[in-house]
Amino acid sequence: MARQDAVRCVRVLLYTLNVLFWLMSACILGVAAWIRDSLNAVLTLTAHTRLEEAAVLTFSPLVHPVLVLVCCFLLMVAMLGVCGTLRCDLLLLSWYFCCLMVILCVELASAVWTYEQPPVHRSDMISLKFRMSNFGHHHHQWLTHTWDTFQTEFKCCGVIYFTDWLEMTEMEWPPDSCCSNQYPGCAGHAHQHDLSDLHQEGCGPKIFSFIRGSTLLQLLRFLGVAMGVAQILAMALTLMLLWALYYGRKLHTDSTLVPGGTVAVTHEASQL
């Protein structure tokens, strides 16, 4: 009875861990999709600068298609684990263990890739000013859209201050995306009457903070560590269940081959 209770406990724990795998994989996919738009905007604004290189080194392993495929694969592996645990199938559980091992190795490689922070300094933000001169040009509409989107989303204006637009372009006032309350011509009205209607913080510090580690980045790393710990625990429980099932079936086989095998042993092994 003690062995049967232990097997039931292991099976329940494996069910729970597989449900957690589904939830954490879905969360990672959702956060990665959410962070991708902001990352694309940062990469556009920091093109051909050290900030772009730092952003790529920091975020690429976290939003890379390989990691997305790993999360999708883990969803299917979790289903395999549930089926193997439910049926007490040695082959399915063995495949489940091997798949978890492969996924864990990929996650460890991703963790090592992002462990070292790239060298980024606040002085690198000055290089962003040279990207402002193409704002509003017909051949750089994608850059104009990115600046407007980023300034609206992060509530910032210019690189260091909104006067960067007057310094680096031929504009008489900043874009309307710098306004806290946007409407056509709001920036011109704010520049002439009330500067407080413009975002007072520059986008450079926002980009710098985003690259150094945003909240979403920390959430992704936390989910990755939690998933890795859960996978190690699931692998250990799978080995325990495999051993218990194999040992129980061996007892059942021995009891049927040896004359005079006790009924208690046969009944206990059949329950596993």
Side-chain angles (χ1 to χ4, degrees), residues 79-240:
M79 180 63 70
L80 177 66
V82 170
C83 294
T85 305
L86 182 64
R87 299 176 55 185
C88 293
D89 192 299
L90 294 177
L91 181 60
L92 289 179
L93 289 173
S94 299
W95 274 106
Y96 175 69
F97 177 84
C98 294
C99 291
L100 286 182
M101 178 70 74
V102 173
I103 293 175
L104 184 62
C105 291
V106 174
E107 292 173 347
L108 288 176
S110 177
V112 171
W113 190 359
T114 60
Y115 178 77
E116 185 177 357
Q117 288 287 344
V120 181
H121 306 285
R122 288 190 174 271
S123 58
D124 296 327
M125 295 187 301
I126 306 300
S127 60
L128 297 177
K129 289 187 176 183
F130 299 101
R131 302 284 293 169
M132 303 173 69
S133 58
N134 293 323
F135 183 89
H137 291 186
H138 177 72
H139 298 292
H140 295 86
Q141 292 183 357
W142 51 272
L143 182 61
T144 301
H145 175 73
T146 302
W147 267 114
D148 287 336
T149 303
F150 192 88
Q151 290 186 146
T152 301
E153 180 180 351
F154 287 85
K155 302 184 185 305
C156 58
C157 185
V159 176
I160 304 300
Y161 198 51
F162 72 85
T163 54
D164 294 334
W165 288 109
L166 311 182
E167 174 188 349
M168 302 303 299
T169 67
E170 298 179 356
M171 301 169 58
E172 297 181 0
W173 46 73
D176 290 339
S177 56
C178 286
C179 298
S180 55
N181 183 22
Q182 294 185 19
Y183 58 87
C186 63
H189 182 272
H191 188 259
Q192 295 175 3
H193 297 88
D194 189 3
L195 294 178
S196 62
D197 290 339
L198 299 175
H199 298 311
Q200 301 299 307
E201 187 175 0
C203 296
K206 299 279 188 177
I207 295 176
F208 182 81
S209 300
F210 181 85
I211 294 175
R212 294 298 294 176
S214 62
T215 304
L216 292 178
L217 177 62
Q218 301 303 326
L219 177 60
L220 278 174
R221 287 175 173 172
F222 171 77
L223 288 174
V225 172
M227 183 177 291
V229 173
Q231 286 173 3
I232 294 175
L233 181 59
M235 291 167 61
L237 292 174
T238 303
L239 286 178
M240 293 173 58

